[in-house]
Amino acid sequence: MPVIAPVPIGSRASSVDGIPSPRTSSEGSSVAGTTVDHLTETYRAHYRSLLGLAALLLDDTASCEDVVQEAFIRVHSARRRVREPEKTLAYLRQTVVNLSRSALRRRILGLKLLSKPMPDMASAEEGAYDLLEREDLIKAMRGLQRRQREVLALRYFSDMTEVQVAEALGISLGSVKAYGSRGIAALRVAMGATS
């Protein structure tokens, strides 16, 4: 980092549009702001307190250190705007606060943009278990009488009402209920034997 010697403070010109005019040295060259030496001294002397300030706003040490270092870089780049060297620490503190806020905003936005898994989404293990269970159910269904299998398939897999099943199979409503209850009882026995 280059070292710049302090420049004597000359007369101050008036400000235009709210932007302070630069100070002029005795040689007539235009100089404004705090010096690199003063900024570096302030940074070194108050590094721990700046780090503590960032720690109050952020949750991890690495982010706090990054914010404090970035604050130094930004104030260093804009040091000509720090008209009064005794306000250098105030600029550093404000920059730490602003950068901490920005870091938190980025984190919140990142969390919002992350794809969230569906709450009822099955894991791979559950999917494999369901597949095995389905195979056992199909095997048990094949062991049922033809009418029991037809009634259960239409009633539960096609989601038809008992009346619709009776119409589709051309049997009475009572027969649908009887075949259905006997088929479920047989499935319970068959599935209980396989598990």
Side-chain angles (χ1 to χ4, degrees):
M1 181 180 294
V3 177
I4 299 173
V7 179
I9 298 173
S11 62
R12 293 186 187 188
S14 63
S15 64
V16 179
D17 297 328
I19 302 170
S21 299
R23 298 177 289 208
T24 343
S25 71
S26 56
E27 290 97 31
S29 62
S30 177
V31 178
T34 188
T35 63
V36 173
D37 288 339
H38 179 70
L39 176 61
T40 305
E41 281 177 35
T42 305
Y43 177 74
R44 285 184 182 150
H46 297 280
Y47 176 78
R48 292 256 182 238
S49 68
L50 293 170
L51 199 59
L53 176 62
L56 291 173
L57 303 170
L58 298 171
D59 56 357
D60 64 303
T61 308
S63 295
C64 295
E65 290 171 348
D66 290 344
V67 162
V68 172
Q69 290 174 3
E70 180 67 23
F72 174 73
I73 292 168
R74 289 196 183 189
V75 173
H76 182 274
S77 298
R79 69 187 179 282
R80 296 193 190 286
R81 288 186 266 161
V82 183
R83 290 185 291 173
E84 300 169 35
E86 59 273 1
K87 291 189 177 179
T88 304
L89 180 59
Y91 276 90
L92 281 168
R93 284 183 180 141
Q94 188 60 50
T95 306
V96 166
V97 169
N98 291 342
L99 290 172
S100 297
R101 286 179 186 157
S102 296
L104 289 174
R105 272 190 229 111
R106 281 192 304 274
R107 284 183 192 175
I108 290 169
L109 182 62
L111 290 173
K112 286 181 182 177
L113 296 177
L114 282 177
S115 61
K116 296 178 182 167
M118 299 300 291
D120 58 349
M121 199 168 168
S123 68
E125 292 169 345
E126 290 173 351
Y129 183 73
D130 288 345
L131 184 63
L132 289 174
E133 235 178 24
R134 195 174 307 125
E135 289 174 2
D136 289 344
L137 178 63
I138 291 169
K139 189 186 285 185
M141 286 282 288
R142 287 186 185 140
L144 295 178
Q145 294 176 2
R146 180 180 58 89
R147 280 286 186 204
Q148 290 174 348
R149 188 171 53 246
E150 291 171 347
V151 167
L152 292 179
L154 292 174
R155 177 79 177 101
Y156 297 104
F157 294 105
S158 296
D159 203 26
M160 296 171 74
T161 65
E162 290 175 334
V163 173
Q164 291 170 330
V165 172
E167 289 174 7
L169 294 178
I171 57 176
S172 69
L173 183 61
S175 296
V176 169
K177 290 181 180 182
Y179 284 127
S181 69
R182 288 185 199 130
I184 289 174
L187 278 178
R188 284 189 181 133
V189 170
M191 295 294 288
T194 59
S195 60

